[in-house]
Amino acid sequence: MDFRTLPSGPVTLENVTVPACLLGQPGDLIRTSLSLANGKISGPQNIALDMAGALVLPGFVDMHTHLDKGHIWNRSPNPDGTFMGALNTVERDRTARWSAQDVARRADFALRCAYAHGTTAIRTHLDSIPPQDEISWAVFRDLRDKWADRITLQAACLIGCDQMEPEGSFAHTADIVAQSGGVLGMVTYPVPDLKQRLLGFLNLARARNLEIDFHVDETMDASSETLRLIAETILETGFDAPVTVGHCCSLSTQDEARALDTLDLVAKAGINVVSLPMCNLYLQDRHAGRTPRGRGITLVHEMKARGINVSFASDNTRDPFYAFGDLDMLEVLRQATRIGHLDHSDPDWVQSVLGNPARACSLPAPSLTPGAPGDLSIYNARNWSELFARPHSDRIVLRNGAQIDRTLPDYAELDDLMEPK
Ligand SMILES: [Zn+2]
């Protein structure tokens, strides 16, 4: 079989390997057939092709990205690879250079990468300190329309909790978010009046019927416990729209009993967690001349054991927060597997880049059952070891049952945006 050419039109793909959890069955990988007709997964068709065990997944959901920051590395590299280096460099780049055209071209570049790798839905955070909120949210609305038939786009605003004034300009930002069908987001770290700020933030969200997406405790400083405060505040207020928290790195350095007690609260509050393991590995526990000891990843196994909805996502790509990355969710799952020891564990971790993020973002669950969209990625791999051993740059991606052109955009396309200013 030539793995790279599939017939167009109705076909049954015989002898494919799929995770049982995607067919609603118990167990690990199973051999089966998948059929496609009229752009959807269908019942059996007359034309059949032996796929020799090729592993098949539905479209990926990348629920935590930063399309507005992406691909600025060539003009604004992180000077020392640290979190503060990233924060300061991005702020300088943003205030000097983030015109609508600059953000739109870099975001479109990133979306083309994600599309080529097999992603069908993306949530991006958007730096939303005025006046950037008006600029970037207008770009987002345009891109969402332009990409509607290829990638479902969501956005969440991003602002530091000590800059977020519920009674001040942030109310206007929240209006832009609401008018754009967005998600209310904020970065939480220990500040003295965080509780008050959280209550104000939840009120803004409730008044506008908004879902919530926080960046939380992105540090190895064990004393950073804003996750605990968020969970307590959600429980106390009975806030009932979906809430997501990202990062939660400090759980990995806290006293174990205390961290697990916090997770019990997170589970009780029904909070979704998204872990960003590649970005954490890059930024966390970085000190010049010292080998990093901590991995930065949050307590994903302990979360899963408590029934917390855990996802993995890309986070940053080629910007000061992460020098690498290409919005490839197979890479994210491969790296998460290695960093978090997802192997030798439950067989359904693949849902952490599929059904789990879809649930957290109130999107339809990616599926391989008849009637689901014919959005597939197909790999020259027959088991997890073969899947995770290679980058699978030769994977086939089908959208609505048809094979897409997977050519990645050329970095040189953005060269005119990278000139020094
Ligand atoms: Zn992020």
Side-chain angles (χ1 to χ4, degrees):
M1 177 197 66
D2 182 355
F3 169 74
R4 276 160 287 276
T5 50
L6 289 179
S8 57
V11 65
T12 290
L13 306 176
E14 289 182 334
N15 202 13
V16 292
T17 303
V18 303
C21 59
L22 295 173
L23 300 171
Q25 294 176 25
D28 201 342
L29 294 169
I30 53 178
R31 283 289 172 94
T32 184
S33 297
L34 282 178
S35 299
L36 293 160
N38 303 316
K40 293 187 186 314
I41 312 276
S42 70
Q45 301 297 313
N46 291 329
I47 298 172
L49 193 65
D50 182 358
M51 298 297 287
L55 206 146
V56 179
L57 298 176
F60 295 117
V61 179
D62 198 348
M63 69 169 288
H64 184 127
T65 67
H66 294 265
L67 299 179
D68 56 346
K69 293 186 176 79
H71 299 283
I72 63 172
W73 183 268
N74 290 11
R75 71 185 188 206
S76 289
N78 188 322
D80 55 7
T82 65
F83 189 86
M84 285 317 290
L87 207 62
N88 295 331
T89 305
V90 163
E91 187 177 355
R92 262 199 308 279
D93 192 87
R94 182 181 66 240
T95 49
R97 307 191 65 148
W98 288 21
S99 64
Q101 206 215 18
D102 178 68
V103 174
R105 280 186 53 199
R106 290 184 291 97
D108 187 77
F109 184 98
L111 287 168
R112 281 181 282 148
C113 301
Y115 180 71
H117 295 310
T119 290
T120 53
I122 290 180
R123 176 179 285 182
T124 181
H125 295 264
L126 297 174
D127 280 23
S128 293
I129 295 171
Q132 195 63 48
D133 52 355
E134 300 275 8
I135 299 167
S136 291
W137 280 87
V139 169
F140 162 72
R141 293 189 298 268
D142 283 351
L143 281 173
R144 183 176 54 189
D145 291 349
K146 187 180 159 208
W147 278 85
D149 59 346
R150 288 167 289 170
I151 294 180
T152 302
L153 270 178
Q154 296 184 345
C157 63
L158 185 66
I159 186 167
C161 60
D162 57 348
Q163 292 172 295
M164 191 282 309
E165 301 295 344
E167 315 294 334
S169 68
F170 190 68
H172 179 66
T173 303
D175 287 338
I176 298 174
V177 171
Q179 286 153 15
S180 307
V183 173
L184 206 64
M186 164 167 91
V187 189
T188 63
Y189 34 84
V191 292
D193 58 348
L194 182 58
K195 176 74 180 217
Q196 280 312 111
R197 288 172 184 273
L198 277 176
L199 289 170
F201 183 89
L202 293 180
N203 283 337
L204 288 174
R206 191 184 278 118
R208 292 163 183 76
N209 277 321
L210 296 173
E211 301 185 12
I212 285 180
D213 197 329
F214 292 115
H215 280 67
V216 176
D217 300 330
E218 190 177 355
T219 173
M220 300 297 259
D221 177 354
S223 72
S224 187
E225 289 199 291
T226 72
L227 175 63
R228 190 176 180 89
L229 189 65
I230 288 171
E232 286 168 351
T233 309
I234 296 291
L235 287 167
E236 192 181 298
T237 56
F239 185 86
D240 59 358
V243 175
T244 290
V245 293
H247 292 294
C248 309
C249 307
S250 66
L251 284 172
S252 71
T253 57
Q254 285 166 10
D255 170 74
E256 184 130 353
R258 174 75 170 183
L260 296 182
D261 189 58
T262 296
L263 289 191
D264 289 339
L265 293 174
V266 170
K268 198 170 166 198
I271 295 172
N272 304 291
V273 175
V274 58
S275 175
L276 299 311
M278 300 193 321
C279 185
N280 294 157
L281 202 64
Y282 178 78
L283 288 175
Q284 301 305 317
D285 202 15
R286 186 189 284 268
H287 307 278
R290 179 182 180 274
T291 305
R293 314 302 207 262
R295 300 182 183 209
I297 190 170
T298 193
L299 307 188
V300 294
H301 291 282
E302 294 80 352
M303 290 171 175
K304 188 168 189 280
R306 283 164 174 73
I308 297 170
N309 183 33
V310 179
S311 305
F312 294 101
S314 290
D315 211 4
N316 301 71
T317 48
R318 299 194 60 252
D319 70 34
F321 285 91
Y322 186 52
F324 317 111
D326 203 33
L327 297 187
D328 177 359
M329 289 301 282
L330 179 69
E331 185 191 14
V332 171
L333 185 62
R334 182 171 73 240
Q335 296 289 25
T337 300
R338 295 167 178 176
I339 297 166
H341 291 181
L342 307 184
D343 55 338
H344 301 282
S345 174
D346 298 340
D348 62 349
W349 274 108
V350 69
Q351 291 284 22
S352 64
V353 295
L354 300 167
N356 299 359
R359 182 147 55 96
C361 296
S362 307
L363 292 166
S367 164
L368 294 175
T369 53
D375 298 338
L376 306 177
S377 52
I378 307 175
Y379 303 89
N380 197 358
R382 297 161 299 178
N383 55 50
W384 297 120
S385 170
E386 290 180 357
L387 183 69
F388 292 138
R390 289 179 179 167
H392 293 285
S393 307
D394 62 348
R395 80 192 70 162
I396 295 173
V397 173
L398 304 186
R399 296 301 307 273
N400 299 311
Q403 195 167 346
I404 66 162
D405 176 2
R406 292 197 56 246
T407 309
L408 290 166
D410 193 323
Y411 292 129
E413 235 186 70
L414 299 176
D415 280 355
D416 64 299
L417 298 179
M418 300 301 131
E419 303 289 333
K421 260 196 177 162

